[in-house]
Amino acid sequence: MNQFDPTRPSTPSNGEPSPGTGRAGAHAGLGRPRPEATPVGATAAPHRVPSAAPAPGEVERLVGGWHHDPHGVLGAHPTPEGLAVRVLRPLAERVVVETPAGRFQLSHLQDGLFTGLLPLPGDAAGSTGYRLRVSYDGTEHVQEDGYRFLPTLTEQDLHLIGEGRHEQLWRALGSQVRTVDGVAGTGFAVWAPNASGVRVIADFNGWNGIAHPMRSLGSSGVWELFVPGVGEGALYKYEIATRDGRMLQKADPLARSAEIPPATASVVHVSSHTWHDQEWLERRAGLTAHDHPMSVYEVHLASWRPGLTYRELAAELPGYVRDLGFTHVELMPVMEHPFGGSWGYQVSGFYAPTARLGSPDDFRHLVDALHQHGIGVIVDWVPAHFPKDDFALARFDGEPLYEPADPNRAEHPDWGTLEFDYGRTEVRNFLVANAVYWAEEFHVDGLRVDAVASMLYLDYSREHGQWSPNEHGGRENWDAVRFLQEMNATVYRRCPGVVTVAEESTAWDGVTRATDVDNHGRGGLGFGLKWNMGWMHDSLEYIQHEPIHRKYHHDEMTFSMVYAYSENYVLPISHDEVVHGKGSLVSKMPGDWWQQRANVRAYLGYMWAHPGKQLLFMGQEFAQGAEWDHETGPQWWLLEPEWPAAADHRGVQDLVRDLNRVYQDCPALWQRDTDPTGFSWLDGHAAEDNLFSFVRYDRAGRPLVCVSNLSPVVRTDYRVGLPPTGPDARWLEVLNTDAEAYGGSGVGNPDPVKADPTPWNGQPTSTELTLPPLATIWLTPA
C-alpha cells in the first residue's frame, strides 16, 4: 500500500483541479477520460468497455486512504464520450456493471480499481440506474454501489452542526440504518476536521477500509459514506489518515452501541423497543422536583447483583426499590467505558450504554420497567473529562479535537484523563446533544452531572504555573459556564419534567439559579438541584465522634441551615463515602454493634427530616459492615435468615422502608424544601445534650416536629416546644428510630402526647417527651 506523503500536492499532476466536494461530488467529472481501445464482447456476455482511467495520482490517494472526495472519482460520471464508471474492489476477480441497457465488464486498472467507459449517455443509466456484479473466487455477488448516492446528511444538518445547535446530533452523525433511493444500507458520518482522509473499516470489509473511503463535506469537518447492504449489528470503526502521516483506528464518538470491553468496535444499532411508560411521562411533565418527594437509591448496576443483565435487573431491581419506598434510582454511569474499575466515570462511548450488561434496547427495557413501578431514573453523566485510550476521543483525528490544544488545559490532573474543550462549538454541541439524547432516547428522568467543580475552575487541582487565567485575569472557566448553561436550558426546554443535578463541591454562586439574567444582572448555571457536599461532610464528621465529644462539634450539624436555601439541595450519602478506606456508613459509627446501628438509624432519621432530597448508596440501607466492592457488590447474605445478625440488618432496612413511607405521606417534609419559611429550629443550641429539634411545615402550615437525641442516654420528661395546632392539641409519634422493630430498645412515646400552654423553644405550647437513646423521633398532630 502506498504510504501517505504530507508533501503530496492537493491537485493532480496534470494540472486539472481536484474533484469537487460535498453534494456535487457525487456527479462531478474528473476532466476528459482517455478511452482505451478494448474490444466489445458479444451481447450474450458482458461487454468489455474501454477503461476510464482517473487523473494521475488519484488511485494512489484512494488506495492510500487520504482522498478527501472519493465520490468524485468512484461511481458513475457522465462524460461526452459516455458514462465513466469506477469501482474500488480489492481482491475482486471481475466487476460487471449491470444497467437497463445491458451488462458491461470493467477493466482492472490497478490496486483493486476497476474502470470502464460505458457507451451510454449520462441520462440513459445515470448515476442511479446500475448495480454491480462482483466476483471473488469464482462466486458472483450482486451489490449496490455506495458511490452513486448523494450525502445522507442534509444541508440543514450541516448548517446546525456548523452553528453548534444540532440538538439531535445522534440522528445526523454516527451510523444510521436507512433506505436511500430504494436501497437499504447504513450511512456513516463522523466529525474529523483535521483528517486527511477517513475510511470505514468493519467486519463487512474484513477490517480493510480500502473499498470504503469517506468523502469530506467541506468546511463542516464531517466525513460521510452510505454503504448499501449494511444493517443492524455490523461492527465498525473509522480509519483516519492524519496530517502527519499516521493511520488511526477510532471507535465512533456517536456510536449508539459498542462491543463488550475489552473489544472496542462500534456497533450499528436500530432500536426496536416499544415503550410502555407514556402515562409516567405525561405525569412527570407536570411535576417539579423541588416541591415533590424525592428519595434516591444510588446503584452501580454491574454490582448490585453481580452477573445480572439489564433485563435480569429489570425483573428484580424495580420491585426491590419500590418495596423500600424510594422514589428514584440514580445509576452510576451506564455509558460505555474501557475500564470497569473506573465505575463508568471514564467514558469512551458517550452515546452507548455499556454492552457489559446487554444491548441499548435491554437498557431501555430496564428504564421502562422502573417507570412502570413508579420509579424515576437518574443517570450519572460525565462531561468533565474522558480517558486517553487510543481507540476513543483522545486526539481523535491526530490532533487535539475534543480536548483543548493547550496541554495545561487539556490534562485533568486528578484522574490522568483529558478535559473537554468547552469553547469549541462542535464539542459543546456533542455534549449538549448527548444530555438530550439520554432523556429523549432512553426516557431518563434526570442527569446527575459529575465533577462540576473541576469544570468551573481553570486552576482546579493545579499548582501555580500549571494554568492560565481567563481573559479577565480570573480563575473561572467561562467556556464551561456557558456550556453548562446551554445544556441545562436545552434539557429543560426539550424534556418536560427532567431534572439536572450538579455534583458541585464549592460555593459557586447560582448553581441552581435560572440561566436567565436576574434583576442583579446575574445568570445561574441552571441546574435543578445540587448535591449538598457541605452537609454530607459536616454531618458525617459529627456522627463519627464519640457521643461524649459531640458537644464540641455541635455546629457541624446546625451549620447547614445557614445556607440551606442558597441552592436547591440533595443530601447525598453516596458511593464516594463508602469506599477507599472511608468505611461503610455503619462502620463509621462509634461504639459497639448496638450503638453503631442506633447511630445509623438516628442519623438517617435526621437526614430524612432535614430540608432537601435524600440519596443513599446501595448496601447502606441494611447497614452492611464492609466497604463497597465493585466486584462483589452489596453483602446480601447479611439479610439471609441463617446469618446470625440478619435481624439487625433487616431492622435497619425496615427503618429505611418506613422513613420513605412516612416521608411521602407528610408533605411538610418535601413540599417547601426550597422555602425558608418551611423550616424553623426549636432548639439548635442544645450542645450539652447532643440534641437537635426543629419543625417542618407544608404549604397549608401543617407541621412535623423532628427531635434527635444523639447521646446514648434516655431523656425523660424532656420539654420540647410545639407549634400551635389548636385547643387540646395532641401529637402522635409517627416514627421512632429506636423502635424494637428496627433493633432498638423500644423507648419512646407510644401514646399521643398532649401539648400544654407552657411556652418553650419560642413556641406558645410544649410537651414533655421521653427521648430514646441515640434516636430520632418524628411527631405530627394527631
Side-chain angles (χ1 to χ4, degrees):
M1 180 183 297
N2 294 287
Q3 296 299 308
F4 174 71
D5 180 3
T7 66
R8 184 180 301 277
S10 59
T11 56
S13 58
N14 64 359
E16 294 177 358
S18 292
T21 61
R23 299 178 67 86
H27 298 288
L30 292 173
R32 195 179 176 102
R34 293 166 293 191
E36 299 177 4
T38 304
V40 178
T43 56
H47 292 291
R48 294 283 296 179
V49 298
S51 173
E58 294 285 1
V59 178
E60 289 78 5
R61 293 170 61 204
L62 276 173
V63 174
W66 61 84
H67 205 297
H68 73 287
D69 184 26
H71 292 68
V73 180
L74 302 175
H77 301 270
T79 75
E81 289 80 11
L83 192 67
V85 178
R86 305 182 189 93
V87 176
L88 192 57
R89 289 293 187 275
L91 307 181
E93 297 168 345
R94 187 175 77 155
V95 177
V96 172
V97 180
E98 183 179 65
T99 75
R103 297 180 183 179
F104 301 89
Q105 182 173 332
L106 304 184
S107 300
H108 179 253
L109 186 65
Q110 66 181 85
D111 297 325
L113 181 67
F114 291 80
T115 68
L117 187 60
L118 279 60
L120 300 169
D123 58 358
S127 61
T128 60
Y130 68 91
R131 294 189 302 175
L132 304 176
R133 292 180 172 270
V134 184
S135 298
Y136 298 95
D137 297 326
T139 302
E140 187 176 75
H141 303 266
V142 178
Q143 302 174 351
E144 297 286 348
D145 186 2
Y147 292 89
R148 70 177 179 87
F149 297 96
L150 292 172
T152 53
L153 277 75
T154 68
E155 295 294 342
Q156 179 73 357
D157 286 327
L158 296 178
H159 172 75
L160 292 174
I161 291 170
E163 292 288 321
R165 303 293 180 188
H166 204 307
E167 294 175 358
Q168 291 186 312
L169 187 65
W170 67 93
R171 297 188 184 275
L173 301 183
S175 56
Q176 312 289 335
V177 175
R178 58 183 67 192
T179 299
V180 180
D181 296 336
V183 176
T186 296
F188 296 91
V190 62
W191 178 60
N194 300 310
S196 294
V198 183
R199 302 189 289 202
V200 179
I201 58 173
D203 56 0
F204 55 78
N205 61 22
W207 300 98
N208 186 327
I210 291 178
H212 292 98
M214 305 176 75
R215 67 176 138 204
S216 169
L217 299 183
S219 61
S220 68
V222 175
W223 298 74
E224 181 270 351
L225 177 65
F226 177 69
V227 183
V230 172
E232 166 82 11
L235 305 179
Y236 70 99
K237 286 186 178 182
Y238 298 115
E239 186 174 56
I240 298 175
T242 69
R243 290 196 287 201
D244 61 2
R246 291 172 293 133
M247 281 289 185
L248 309 178
Q249 294 187 358
K250 293 286 189 174
D252 188 346
L254 272 291
R256 286 165 288 169
S257 183
E259 279 191 293
I260 300 174
T264 58
S266 301
V267 182
V268 176
H269 170 71
V270 180
S271 175
S272 59
H273 179 76
T274 300
W275 288 95
H276 300 90
D277 63 348
Q278 189 59 37
E279 182 179 343
W280 167 272
L281 296 180
E282 291 173 356
R283 184 171 65 252
R284 185 193 74 184
L287 302 179
T288 59
H290 306 143
D291 56 2
H292 285 80
M294 177 183 282
S295 58
V296 184
Y297 183 59
E298 188 187 21
V299 178
H300 180 251
L301 284 177
S303 67
W304 186 74
R305 293 278 192 181
L308 295 190
T309 65
Y310 292 128
R311 289 188 177 271
E312 290 166 339
L313 285 162
E316 295 193 27
L317 180 62
Y320 180 78
V321 176
R322 183 173 182 174
D323 175 65
L324 287 183
F326 287 97
T327 66
H328 291 71
V329 294
E330 180 177 312
L331 308 179
M332 291 168 67
V334 297
M335 300 80 184
E336 195 57 85
H337 51 284
F339 176 49
S342 76
W343 311 332
Y345 289 98
Q346 295 192 8
V347 178
S348 54
F350 280 80
Y351 285 79
T354 180
R356 292 171 174 87
L357 306 181
S359 72
D361 274 359
D362 292 338
F363 180 65
R364 287 182 173 91
H365 177 78
L366 172 59
V367 175
D368 210 349
L370 286 160
H371 284 173
Q372 291 174 59
H373 281 74
I375 299 160
V377 180
I378 300 168
V379 296
D380 278 10
W381 186 53
V382 193
H385 63 126
F386 56 91
K388 297 179 180 179
D389 297 67
D390 290 341
F391 73 91
L393 296 182
R395 300 183 70 88
F396 183 77
D397 55 9
E399 301 174 32
L401 187 64
Y402 288 89
E403 67 272 37
D406 180 353
N408 283 335
R409 281 204 178 189
E411 293 285 336
H412 199 297
D414 285 350
W415 302 310
T417 53
L418 296 171
E419 298 186 7
F420 282 100
D421 184 355
Y422 305 107
R424 184 154 191 169
T425 298
E426 297 90 345
V427 174
R428 192 176 66 248
N429 192 172
F430 172 83
L431 292 171
V432 172
N434 188 241
V436 173
Y437 171 77
W438 289 97
E440 292 190 352
E441 291 291 327
F442 293 97
H443 292 197
V444 302
D445 306 287
L447 297 170
R448 178 268 195 182
V449 184
D450 184 67
V452 171
S454 74
M455 303 165 63
L456 293 175
Y457 299 99
L458 296 170
D459 63 344
Y460 186 87
S461 286
R462 292 173 169 87
E463 301 296 332
H464 178 72
Q466 295 180 332
W467 65 282
S468 300
N470 60 34
E471 61 271 28
H472 305 295
R475 55 198 284 256
E476 301 86 358
N477 187 341
W478 296 119
D479 288 334
V481 170
R482 287 185 283 269
F483 155 65
L484 290 170
Q485 290 175 325
E486 180 182 348
M487 181 276 297
N488 282 311
T490 304
V491 168
Y492 277 98
R493 171 171 50 82
R494 293 187 63 103
C495 311
V498 169
V499 64
T500 60
V501 185
E503 186 214 17
E504 202 284 310
S505 56
T506 73
W508 183 280
D509 181 47
V511 172
T512 59
R513 191 166 60 236
T515 58
D516 298 337
V517 176
D518 62 17
N519 293 333
H520 302 285
R522 301 173 303 175
L525 297 183
F527 284 94
L529 298 166
K530 171 182 172 175
W531 274 20
N532 193 335
M533 313 292 279
W535 172 88
M536 177 197 70
H537 177 269
D538 291 346
S539 64
L540 288 178
E541 280 291 312
Y542 174 90
I543 204 68
Q544 291 180 74
H545 289 292
E546 291 284 350
I548 195 172
H549 300 303
R550 286 176 177 168
K551 63 183 179 181
Y552 304 111
H553 302 272
H554 195 76
D555 62 344
E556 291 176 350
M557 289 289 272
T558 60
F559 181 66
S560 61
M561 289 313 303
V562 173
Y563 60 87
Y565 301 101
S566 62
E567 303 281 3
N568 307 324
Y569 281 118
V570 175
L571 311 179
I573 300 299
S574 73
H575 66 276
D576 279 329
E577 303 314 307
V578 296
V579 291
H580 299 325
K582 295 180 182 179
S584 68
L585 185 59
V586 73
S587 69
K588 296 177 191 291
M589 304 299 168
D592 60 22
W593 175 232
W594 189 95
Q595 292 174 321
Q596 286 181 307
R597 288 180 292 116
N599 274 297
V600 164
R601 295 193 305 266
Y603 180 79
L604 294 177
Y606 181 88
M607 172 181 173
W608 254 250
H610 190 287
K613 312 307 178 183
Q614 305 83 34
L615 178 142
L616 189 65
F617 183 59
M618 64 183 195
Q620 311 315 301
E621 78 274 17
F622 58 84
Q624 76 168 48
E627 287 189 340
W628 170 56
D629 182 335
H630 70 272
E631 297 288 346
T632 59
Q635 297 176 304
W636 296 110
W637 63 86
L638 298 176
L639 300 170
E640 297 298 328
E642 56 270 19
W643 184 256
D648 297 341
H649 295 282
R650 288 190 177 275
V652 176
Q653 187 183 52
D654 290 342
L655 169 68
V656 170
R657 181 183 296 107
D658 286 349
L659 282 170
N660 281 325
R661 175 182 56 79
V662 180
Y663 166 75
Q664 293 185 52
D665 289 343
C666 292
L669 291 174
W670 44 264
Q671 211 168 58
R672 294 165 73 179
D673 264 336
T674 60
D675 180 357
T677 64
F679 173 92
S680 178
W681 281 112
L682 294 173
D683 192 346
H685 302 287
E688 291 294 331
D689 295 334
N690 294 353
L691 189 133
F692 306 88
S693 57
F694 55 84
V695 58
R696 300 287 307 277
Y697 298 95
D698 67 14
R699 286 200 198 98
R702 291 184 293 266
L704 179 142
V705 167
C706 174
V707 184
S708 293
N709 174 24
L710 299 181
S711 65
V713 298
V714 177
R715 302 192 184 277
T716 58
D717 302 325
Y718 196 94
R719 186 163 290 276
V720 175
L722 297 172
T725 58
D728 298 321
R730 293 181 179 274
W731 290 73
L732 182 66
E733 190 179 84
V734 293
L735 185 125
N736 181 341
T737 67
D738 191 51
E740 291 182 355
Y742 309 141
S745 59
V747 174
N749 305 274
D751 299 320
V753 296
K754 187 177 184 303
D756 62 55
T758 305
W760 206 260
N761 299 142
Q763 301 294 326
T765 63
S766 61
T767 192
E768 290 183 340
L769 297 172
T770 298
L771 301 181
L774 297 174
T776 293
I777 62 172
W778 294 353
L779 303 163
T780 61

